[in-house]
């Protein structure tokens, strides 16, 4: 069975529109991409869609009440809200350094959530 | 124990506050109540900020008398209360030959009303004085006594001076009904309790009909709000340095193009009669009407430089003029009615109410004297309200002196209008505390510039919370129900 | 407090453009570089842009805004860039004098040999697009809401309509959704997206947030807080289509309707603005029409990627450093000529030391008090005598002179100023 899917590649700011052709559940053709990233994106988006997640975590005694954090790599899309729920329950203690690990191997994805800036103590 | 006053004033607009200030000169306890979280929340908040010369009102009306008498009192008022007032004169601009006769009519009216310093200028002279004016200008009435002011500053300064002289001001306090003893008013009931008083003065503006009806006075009197919409321009881009009226029509004084004491050019108002006294919305049709009206005077205006729009309601009444032979049905009411005792009744104080307000206050005092009040001047009455520093208006040299003295004035919170933390803190702890964002805005002019509060809002919310000792979640724009923030991000319901 | 009152390069703003300019100026040889930032920390708006998507051009990485900023903050501190935080520049003169104010440091003046304007941009507001209706709390620009949510941790609303499909608007739709709010609609008056396609996918599509093209807000309801917005479809000329109105209950309206370069300081300094961009006219080194004043980033024209702002900042920083170093060199060549004992004034007031290599310089002066006896006219550098001449008398009414000769060059070259004295013999 042949199936057509229309995707917008999010690998870079260009945002190419991809026309993906699937046959028996396998990608047989991708059109509209302007680089190889588009091919990888199509493969990923169809079989295991993932997203970078950025949010904040509460900080005690920090310069700000929150520190921004993000997943080092894209995580499976269906897990986004579970990750957010975990982040909501955490409270860190200042000082925090950029790239400090906030949650290791979040939800067994093998991916860490890390801080995206220094948060000095006040 | 109920508090007992000699005078209670209902309404914290310019009329109520100047009456409070005037009464605070005499012995007796004065209370002013205002239903909103700040003074100046009704008609005084949104108007053209003009102190009219007095050529518009129909001769022999109370309106005409108050306007001309009031106008003459502004120099002393501004001097004593330390607010910005510029007597720069105004123009009524005739466009095309067909509008010229209207100027003669106004000139005649000016003479009858006793307005000094009016002259009719020919078209070329008007063009010389205002280079941006339409080439079709045929002439103008030039009234040298016309002035401009900041109505917020006037009102707050008057109320502050009243407080300095012993008066009390209660915000968030709404009049419900009178407490009567036979035909005598002896107090009022409010949402904040009852207050007794020998006299109650109705300065409730848009709601003056409600108040007088509660006293059983003039049941036929009705306020019909006339809504007026406005555009405000960025002062860096548009500089019309004059006060320009069109020739008046049956709808009123028409759409002006005028400068303000803050340097911004504003356009407006139109005049739409509505029913809802809370409906200060801007509308597409209203904004189109203003634009068309303003372009008639100044064709070169561009919407690109509009930084704010707003609308205000004028409390137009239906009181007949008391002068025999004058057929006019929207005159001011300033009276001690016969039906009840202990009541000074004001109503229908629409434009030129700002210009008239000092004369109205004087009239109220005269009425009280006629009613047998002694009105003895306090020995320690101090008419001077000292000005607080305004960083934006200072030279660099004076700014340095100020910051050296108090470093809080060194931190600029509003980047467009250069308003400092020191000024904000001073207003929060002023004799009449500014406890909402809008209250701080009206007093300091913060948030009125190009970014319209985009930069300062989070910072002002923080400063208010800190100074008032409350959570930022409790800080409001204009009183209860207008909170800026809902909850901490991490506290999600469900 | 500041170490100096004159800097080689002063940069106003510490967003991507300002920090890049600082780093580049240092690397190009400027010694004293100062960044002035009105917020309490370096980084500008990047700090509230906690989403990914930064660094693709420069680092070939996908970084959040704060991480991207952190790299430049760290680098500029390592290079010895000085900073003034929580400090605002009130005025810039065409001669590059800055009037500066802060709570911590007070009010003072700074002179810049070269200046980089990197003030960024501001958001267009409700008034600029003249949305009719009431004026309640709950109408925010997307950037202000972003600061509330990402920096201060407070929610500006729970039920939200967003006007404008700019990137910040779409990104805020996702952020608010992440923090538990409901985004009812995103409206775009144009028939196409204002922001990037990828933000449409990962900010709206992923969370089933409806995006309506050719729609706008017709009216804002609510006296105290937003209660609803009335939306309407528009035709190609943005005329409202009657009958297409929809009443959407909500408590918040976010505006993402464009950005405008922030140039109020530039104007005061005499910098000419291009009406097409709203920013200064610049040359390839990002110098404006005012010599020594450079501009980079969103203050010049609005960019869609921070990486491009950084690259523009590099150019401006390099250009500014070059200008500053040339100026500094000429300052060292020119020395002041001072009026010393019994001398009222001297002309010329400054001399270019190099001129003495091959020509004479005549110093003209008048004395303050008459001396009716022989006097010694002396030129010195504060320690050593450079030249002298005897005169029979000295009178204020008669101009006097003393000439420096090429043979004095070696002495003058060492001096940082020279002084003319007249003593009784």
């Amino acid at each position: 069975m042949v199936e057509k899917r229309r995707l917008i590649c999010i690998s870079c700011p260009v945002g190419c529109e991809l026309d993906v052709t699937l046959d028996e559940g396998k990608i047989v053709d991708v059109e509209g991409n302007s680089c190889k990233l588009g091919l990888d994106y199509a493969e990923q988006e169809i079989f295991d869609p993932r997203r970078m997640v950025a949010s904040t975590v509460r900080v005690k005694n920090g310069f700000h009440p929150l520190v921004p954090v993000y997943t080092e790599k894209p995580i499976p899309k269906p897990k986004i809200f579970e990750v957010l729920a975990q982040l909501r329950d955490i409270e860190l203690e200042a000082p925090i350094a950029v790239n400090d690990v906030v949650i290791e191997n979040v939800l067994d994805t093998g991916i860490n959530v890390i801080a995206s800036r220094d948060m000095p103590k006040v | 124990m109920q508090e007992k006053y000699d005078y209670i004033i209902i309404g914290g607009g310019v009329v109520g506050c100047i009456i409070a200030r005037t009464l605070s000169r005499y012995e007796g306890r004065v209370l002013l109540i205002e239903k909103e979280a700040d003074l100046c929340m009704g008609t005084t908040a949104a108007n053209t900020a003009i102190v009219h010369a007095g050529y518009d009102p129909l001769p022999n009306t109370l309106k005409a008398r108050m306007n001309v008498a009031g106008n003459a009192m502004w120099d002393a008022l501004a001097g004593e209360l330390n607010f910005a007032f510029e007597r720069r004169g105004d123009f009524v601009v005739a466009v095309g030959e067909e509008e010229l006769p209207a100027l003669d009519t106004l000139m005649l009216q000016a003479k009858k009303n006793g307005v000094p310093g009016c002259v009719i200028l020919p078209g070329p002279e008007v063009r010389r004085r205002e280079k941006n004016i339409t080439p079709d200008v045929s002439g103008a009435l030039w009234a040298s006594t016309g002035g401009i002011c900041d109505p917020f500053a006037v009102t707050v300064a008057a109320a502050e001076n009243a407080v300095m002289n012993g008066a009390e001001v209660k915000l968030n306090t709404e009049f419900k009904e009178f407490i009567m003893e036979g035909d005598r008013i002896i107090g009022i009931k409010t949402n904040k309790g009852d207050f007794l008083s020998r006299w109650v003065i109705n300065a409730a503006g848009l709601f003056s009909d409600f108040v007088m009806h509660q006293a059983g006075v003039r049941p036929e009197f009705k306020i019909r709000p006339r809504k007026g919409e406005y555009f405000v321009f960025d002062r860096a881009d548009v500089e019309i340095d004059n006060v320009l009226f069109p020739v008046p029509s049956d709808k009123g004084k028409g759409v002006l193009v005028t400068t303000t004491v803050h340097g911004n050019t504003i356009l407006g108002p139109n005049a739409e009669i509505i029913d809802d006294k809370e409906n200060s919305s801007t509308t597409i049709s209203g904004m189109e009407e203003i634009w068309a009206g303003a372009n008639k005077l100044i064709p070169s205006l561009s919407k690109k430089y509009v930084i704010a729009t707003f609308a205000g309601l004028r409390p137009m009444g239906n009181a007949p003029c008391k002068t025999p032979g004058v057929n006019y049905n929207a005159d001011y009411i300033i009276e001690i009615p016969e039906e009840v005792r202990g009541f000074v009744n004001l109503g229908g104080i629409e434009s030129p109410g700002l210009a008239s307000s000092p004369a109205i206050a004087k009239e109220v005092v005269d009425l009280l004297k006629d009613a047998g009040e002694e009105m003895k001047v306090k020995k320690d009455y101090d008419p001077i309200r000292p000005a607080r520093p305004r960083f934006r208006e200072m030279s660099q040299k004076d700014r340095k002196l100020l910051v050296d003295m108090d470093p809080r004035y060194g931190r600029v919170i509003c980047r467009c209008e250069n308003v400092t933390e020191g000024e904000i803190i001073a207003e929060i702890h002023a004799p009449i505390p500014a406890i909402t964002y809008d209250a701080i805005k009206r007093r300091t002019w913060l948030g009125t510039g190009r970014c319209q509060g985009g930069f300062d809002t989070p910072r002002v919310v923080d400063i208010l919370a800190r100074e008032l000792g409350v959570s930022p979640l409790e800080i409001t724009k204009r009183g209860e129900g207008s909170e800026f923030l809902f909850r901490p991000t991490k506290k999600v319901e469900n | 407090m500041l170490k100096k009152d004159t800097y080689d390069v002063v940069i106003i703003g510490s967003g991507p453009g300002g920090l890049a300019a600082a780093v580049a100026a240092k690397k190009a040889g400027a010694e004293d570089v100062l960044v002035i930032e009105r917020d309490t920390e370096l980084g500008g708006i990047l700090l509230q842009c906690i989403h990914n998507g930064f660094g693709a051009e420069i680092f070939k990485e996908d970084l959040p805004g704060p991480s991207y900023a952190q790299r430049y903050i760290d680098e500029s501190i390592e290079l010895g860039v000085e900073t003034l935080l929580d400090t605002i520049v009130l005025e810039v003169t065409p001669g590059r004098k800055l009037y500066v104010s802060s709570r911590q440091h007070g009010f003072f003046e700074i002179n810049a040999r070269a200046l980089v304007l990197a003030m960024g941009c501001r958001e267009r507001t409700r008034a600029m697009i003249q949305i009719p209706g009431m004026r309640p709390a709950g109408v925010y620009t997307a950037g202000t809401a972003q600061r509330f949510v990402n920096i201060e941790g407070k929610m500006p609303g729970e039920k939200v309509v967003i006007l404008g499909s700019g990137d910040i608007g779409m990104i805020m739709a996702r952020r608010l959704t992440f923090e538990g709010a409901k985004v009812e609609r995103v409206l775009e008056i144009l028939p196409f997206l204002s922001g990037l396609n990828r933000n449409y996918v990962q900010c709206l599509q992923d969370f089933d947030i409806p995006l309506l093209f050719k729609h706008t807000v017709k009216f804002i309801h609510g006296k105290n807080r937003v209660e609803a917005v009335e939306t309407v479809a528009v035709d190609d000329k943005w005329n409202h289509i009657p009958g297409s109105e929809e009443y959407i209950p909500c408590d918040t309206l976010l505006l993402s309707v464009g950005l405008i370069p922030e140039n109020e300081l530039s104007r005061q300094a005499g910098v000419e603005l291009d009406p097409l961009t709203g920013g200064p006219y610049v040359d390839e080194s990002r110098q404006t029409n005012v010599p020594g004043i450079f501009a980079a980033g969103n203050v010049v024209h609005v960019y869609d990627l921070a990486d491009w702002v950084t690259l523009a900042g590099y150019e401006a920083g390099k250009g500014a450093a070059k200008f500053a170093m040339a100026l500094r060199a000429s300052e060292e060549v020119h020395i002041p000529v001072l009026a010393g004992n019994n001398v009222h004034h001297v002309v010329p007031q400054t001399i270019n030391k190099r001129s003495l290599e091959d020509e004479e310089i005549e110093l003209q002066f008048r004395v303050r008090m008459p001396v009716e006896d022989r006097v010694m006219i002396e030129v010195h550098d504060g320690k050593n005598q450079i030249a002298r001449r005897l005169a029979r008398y000295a009178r204020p009414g008669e101009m006097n002179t003393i000439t420096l000769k090429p043979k004095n060059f070696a002495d003058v070259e060492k001096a940082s100023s020279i002084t003319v004295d007249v003593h009784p013999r």
Side-chain angles (χ1 to χ4, degrees):
Chain A
M1 200 190 79
V2 175
E3 192 194 338
K4 293 259 185 192
R5 292 272 291 274
R6 164 70 65 95
L7 301 175
I8 296 170
C9 178
I10 62 170
S11 309
C12 84
V14 177
C16 297
E17 288 197 19
L18 310 178
D19 284 308
V20 184
T21 312
L22 291 148
D23 192 0
E24 300 295 331
K26 278 189 181 156
I27 296 178
V28 292
D29 187 36
V30 177
E31 283 175 36
N33 59 311
S34 36
C35 73
K36 191 186 167 297
L37 290 176
L39 301 178
D40 299 343
Y41 177 77
E43 181 81 19
Q44 188 75 52
E45 185 68 6
I46 287 182
F47 300 111
D48 176 20
R50 286 174 174 251
R51 295 289 183 265
M52 297 292 280
V53 172
S55 187
T56 51
V57 164
R58 281 176 294 159
V59 181
K60 232 187 240 166
N61 304 320
F63 186 76
H64 291 301
L66 302 168
V67 66
V69 300
Y70 69 113
T71 55
E72 272 180 305
K73 290 176 190 154
I75 60 153
K77 214 169 118 179
K79 297 201 180 212
I80 290 176
F81 282 94
E82 263 180 277
V83 170
L84 290 169
Q86 282 206 1
L87 293 174
R88 212 165 273 146
D89 291 335
I90 296 174
E91 186 165 37
L92 303 174
E93 178 86 33
I96 296 157
V98 64
N99 298 335
D100 274 2
V101 175
V102 174
I103 306 177
E104 209 176 324
N105 182 20
V106 65
L107 296 172
D108 276 330
T109 53
I111 294 162
N112 296 335
V113 176
I114 62 173
S116 61
R117 57 167 288 182
D118 294 346
M119 186 55 65
K121 196 179 162 122
V122 280
Chain B
M1 240 307 268
Q2 284 164 333
E3 290 286 335
K4 270 192 181 164
Y5 296 90
D6 293 286
Y7 308 100
I8 290 179
I9 298 147
I10 302 171
V14 68
V15 173
C17 290
I18 291 188
I19 290 174
R21 189 249 179 176
T22 306
L23 289 177
S24 74
R25 185 170 175 233
Y26 304 99
E27 286 182 355
R29 282 187 77 190
V30 177
L31 168 68
L32 181 143
I33 64 162
E34 166 56 51
K35 68 183 169 69
E36 303 289 342
D38 190 20
L39 302 170
C40 270
M41 294 281 277
T43 300
T44 312
N47 56 70
T48 323
I50 286 178
V51 176
H52 293 277
Y55 50 76
D56 305 287
L58 201 63
N60 298 314
T61 57
L62 187 54
K63 216 179 234 179
R65 182 160 70 83
M66 288 298 113
N67 185 352
V68 177
N71 177 290
M73 297 167 79
W74 274 77
D75 305 276
L77 193 69
E80 289 175 350
L81 297 179
N82 274 301
F83 58 79
F85 167 64
E86 296 174 30
R87 203 180 271 291
R88 54 168 69 205
D90 61 51
F91 296 87
V92 181
V93 179
V95 178
E97 295 299 313
E98 64 278 12
E99 287 189 354
L100 276 176
L103 300 184
D104 296 330
T105 312
L106 284 177
M107 189 68 184
L108 193 65
Q109 229 166 244
K111 277 186 185 140
K112 283 189 183 160
N113 288 350
V115 182
C118 289
V119 63
I120 290 179
L121 302 174
E125 177 60 16
V126 183
R127 274 204 297 280
R128 194 183 67 76
R129 294 189 187 197
E130 176 50 70
K131 62 183 188 304
N132 297 299
I133 209 153
T134 172
D136 300 332
V137 58
S138 52
L141 174 75
W142 159 245
S144 60
T145 57
I148 56 174
C149 70
D150 172 351
F152 301 124
V154 177
T155 308
V156 171
E160 250 180 35
N161 188 235
V163 170
M164 286 170 55
N165 285 300
E168 289 173 51
V169 172
K170 290 185 193 291
L171 302 174
N172 287 313
T173 305
E174 184 170 6
F175 167 82
K176 298 288 183 195
E177 57 181 305
F178 288 102
I179 304 169
M180 306 290 296
E181 205 174 75
D183 68 347
R184 173 173 286 281
I185 289 173
I186 59 160
I188 57 169
K189 289 181 186 294
T190 75
N191 62 332
K192 296 283 171 74
D194 299 351
F195 303 102
L196 298 182
S197 182
R198 295 196 303 115
W199 288 94
V200 176
I201 296 149
N202 176 10
L206 286 161
F207 300 89
S208 55
D209 51 355
F210 170 77
V211 173
M212 69 180 84
H213 297 167
Q214 291 298 98
V217 173
R218 291 185 184 253
E220 77 295 342
F221 180 76
K222 188 169 160 54
I223 292 285
R224 305 263 343 250
R226 273 198 309 156
K227 187 163 77 172
E229 300 181 33
Y230 293 86
F231 285 102
V232 183
F233 286 103
D234 192 335
R235 65 166 174 273
D237 292 296
V238 180
E239 234 177 297
I240 305 298
D241 213 18
N242 279 305
V243 181
L244 308 171
F245 289 90
V247 296
S249 71
D250 51 353
K251 286 186 80 177
K253 293 189 278 280
V255 176
L256 287 82
V257 178
T258 174
T259 187
T260 62
V261 288
H262 302 289
N264 303 84
T265 299
I266 65 173
L267 311 181
N270 59 341
E272 183 196 356
I273 294 175
I274 60 170
D275 291 320
D276 181 359
K277 291 175 180 177
E278 308 277 3
N279 177 9
S280 58
S281 62
T282 50
T283 61
I284 292 169
S285 58
M287 292 197 278
E288 279 168 0
E289 189 182 343
I290 297 163
W291 196 253
N295 271 280
K296 198 181 142 199
L297 298 180
I298 307 280
S300 57
L301 295 168
S302 162
K303 275 190 188 165
K304 194 173 154 191
Y305 303 118
V306 171
I307 57 165
T309 59
F310 66 90
L313 304 178
R314 337 204 234 321
M316 181 179 68
N318 59 350
C321 176
K322 282 183 176 171
T323 310
V326 180
N327 181 18
Y328 183 62
N329 285 315
D331 207 355
Y332 289 170
I333 299 169
I334 307 169
E335 64 184 6
I336 292 181
E338 286 169 7
E339 299 91 317
V340 288
R341 287 187 288 161
F343 186 49
V344 182
N345 189 31
L346 275 53
I349 315 288
E350 59 167 345
S351 177
L354 181 63
S356 304
S357 51
I360 293 172
K362 185 176 176 293
E363 185 81 358
V364 167
V365 171
D366 290 346
L367 288 173
L368 288 167
K369 280 181 183 164
D370 291 347
E373 289 293 326
E374 193 185 352
M375 306 310 287
K376 199 171 152 203
V377 177
K378 282 178 196 163
K379 280 202 193 80
D380 55 353
Y381 171 70
D382 182 358
I384 306 299
R385 194 226 38 151
R388 288 187 282 276
R390 288 289 171 255
F391 192 78
R392 60 198 289 275
E393 292 162 7
M394 297 167 91
S395 67
Q396 304 293 18
K397 202 175 130 205
D398 288 346
R399 286 172 171 179
K400 175 156 176 50
L401 291 174
L402 178 64
V403 177
D404 285 348
M405 223 157 56
D406 184 343
R408 295 177 299 181
Y409 286 93
R411 186 167 181 237
V412 171
I413 300 296
C414 168
R415 59 177 178 184
C416 304
E417 298 296 320
N418 284 340
V419 178
T420 64
E421 186 171 18
E423 290 163 85
I424 296 167
I425 293 171
E427 294 307 324
I428 297 172
H429 301 296
I432 297 166
I435 53 173
T436 66
Y437 177 87
D438 279 358
I440 290 175
K441 177 177 175 175
R442 287 133 189 262
R443 285 161 175 72
T444 63
W445 222 236
L446 145 162
T448 61
R450 271 156 270 122
C451 87
Q452 289 285 298
F455 181 77
D456 67 61
T457 303
R459 288 157 177 89
V460 175
V461 167
D462 268 357
I463 295 169
L464 268 168
R466 186 186 73 208
E467 296 294 320
L468 298 174
V470 300
S471 154
L473 303 182
E474 292 175 43
I475 301 305
T476 67
K477 183 174 187 290
R478 59 193 311 285
E480 205 184 326
S482 64
E483 285 76 12
F484 284 101
L485 300 164
F486 282 40
R487 60 171 165 87
T489 45
K490 298 300 161 189
K491 275 197 192 137
V492 180
E493 309 269 324
N494 71 49
Chain C
M1 201 48 215
L2 285 183
K3 294 188 192 133
K4 307 186 159 59
D5 59 10
T6 299
Y7 280 76
D8 290 329
V9 179
V10 174
I11 296 140
I12 307 177
S14 74
L19 289 177
V23 165
K26 267 284 184 188
K27 287 181 174 169
E31 284 175 41
D32 305 314
V33 177
L34 173 70
V35 174
I36 305 175
E37 166 57 50
R38 68 184 174 202
D39 214 328
T40 51
E41 48 187 354
L42 297 176
I45 297 301
L46 283 172
L47 298 181
Q48 66 186 53
C49 297
I50 66 165
H51 52 278
N52 289 73
F54 299 85
E57 285 291 323
I58 291 175
F59 300 114
K60 309 295 172 207
E61 287 182 65
D62 184 10
L63 298 172
S67 305
Y68 184 90
Q70 190 80 54
R71 295 187 181 195
Y72 288 96
I73 294 168
D74 293 348
E75 188 176 9
S76 51
I77 289 167
E78 261 165 44
L79 289 168
V81 171
E82 286 182 55
T83 58
L84 275 176
L85 299 176
D86 204 359
T87 299
I88 201 146
V89 178
L90 294 163
E91 188 188 336
V92 176
T93 69
R96 302 184 304 284
K97 182 197 284 291
L98 284 73
Y99 292 92
V100 169
S101 179
S102 91
R103 183 166 176 168
Q104 192 191 340
H105 309 293
F107 185 100
F108 52 99
E109 295 168 21
I110 298 172
N111 295 298
R113 292 195 176 90
L115 178 68
V116 180
L117 306 170
M119 291 89 73
C121 53
R122 67 186 141 96
E123 298 179 277
R124 295 183 79 211
T125 64
R126 169 184 178 177
M128 287 177 191
I129 52 172
Q130 285 134 40
I131 305 174
M134 303 289 284
R135 299 211 297 167
V139 182
Y140 298 102
T141 55
T144 301
Q146 190 178 42
R147 183 186 167 95
F148 273 131
V149 175
N150 291 347
I151 305 279
E152 304 190 0
K154 294 167 205 136
M155 289 297 276
E158 298 282 20
K159 270 168 84 76
V160 183
V161 170
I162 299 177
L163 178 61
S165 64
D167 287 314
I168 321 170
M170 293 195 285
I171 283 161
M172 278 312 292
R174 177 177 61 182
R175 259 317 275 154
L176 289 164
T177 306
F178 277 7
E179 297 296 0
K182 173 96 172 71
V183 179
E184 302 286 340
R185 294 273 192 297
V186 177
L187 310 169
E188 172 58 61
I189 198 165
L190 298 168
F192 50 83
L193 209 60
S194 316
L196 300 173
N197 277 342
R198 67 167 179 184
N199 282 330
Y200 167 69
V201 173
Q202 54 188 357
C203 297
L204 304 186
Q205 205 182 48
D206 276 359
F207 306 101
D208 300 322
I209 298 169
L211 167 66
L212 300 180
F213 288 120
K214 298 175 81 171
H215 273 71
T216 191
V217 173
K218 188 179 172 185
F219 200 86
I220 298 171
H221 293 273
K223 180 172 158 66
N224 289 322
R225 178 80 199 191
V226 174
E227 287 164 14
V229 297
E230 200 177 334
T231 67
V232 67
V234 299
D235 64 18
D236 291 337
K237 288 176 180 153
W238 296 7
N239 296 311
H240 294 182
I241 298 171
S244 66
E245 291 85 356
E246 200 181 347
Y247 183 91
I248 304 176
C250 59
D251 53 45
T252 303
L253 174 64
L254 286 198
L255 303 174
S256 177
V257 291
L259 302 167
I260 303 171
E262 179 70 59
N263 275 292
E264 297 321 302
L265 290 173
S266 324
R267 289 197 212 206
Q268 290 170 353
V271 170
E272 269 179 57
L273 304 183
D274 180 347
L276 296 177
T277 58
Y281 290 101
V282 291
D283 68 12
E284 75 289 348
S285 69
R286 300 293 188 272
Q287 186 166 217
T288 68
N289 65 302
V290 182
I293 299 187
F294 296 74
N298 287 333
V299 78
V300 174
H301 68 156
V302 176
Y303 288 81
D304 46 17
L305 291 179
D307 295 54
W308 292 107
V309 173
T310 299
L311 295 172
Y314 285 153
E315 294 305 319
K318 257 193 292 184
K322 201 172 153 194
F323 185 96
M325 297 328 283
L327 189 59
R328 193 190 254 249
S330 84
E331 283 166 11
E332 284 159 6
V333 168
H334 282 85
I335 56 169
V337 183
L338 307 173
N341 188 60
N342 196 22
V343 176
H344 178 263
H345 69 266
V346 188
V347 170
Q349 287 89 344
T350 63
I351 57 169
N352 182 336
K353 295 189 278 194
R354 299 235 170 91
S355 308
L356 265 186
E357 280 181 295
D358 44 32
E359 57 187 272
E360 297 179 353
I361 299 175
E362 185 188 65
L363 304 179
Q364 305 172 333
F365 63 92
R366 278 184 201 277
V367 292
R368 290 179 180 278
M369 301 298 293
V371 184
E372 295 298 338
D373 204 345
R374 291 203 303 168
V375 292
M376 179 65 79
I377 302 165
E378 188 194 19
V379 179
H380 62 87
D381 66 3
K383 285 189 202 131
N384 309 306
Q385 192 182 72
I386 294 168
R388 62 175 190 165
R389 177 171 82 78
L390 267 173
R392 285 192 293 131
Y393 61 86
R395 292 171 188 150
E398 293 176 30
M399 191 181 81
N400 252 310
T401 63
I402 182 164
T403 302
L404 296 173
K405 305 222 162 78
K407 68 172 183 184
N408 301 125
F409 173 68
D411 292 329
V412 172
E413 204 195 6
K414 285 178 276 173
S416 57
S417 69
I418 57 172
T419 305
V420 179
D421 284 348
V422 175
H423 295 287
R425 179 74 173 116

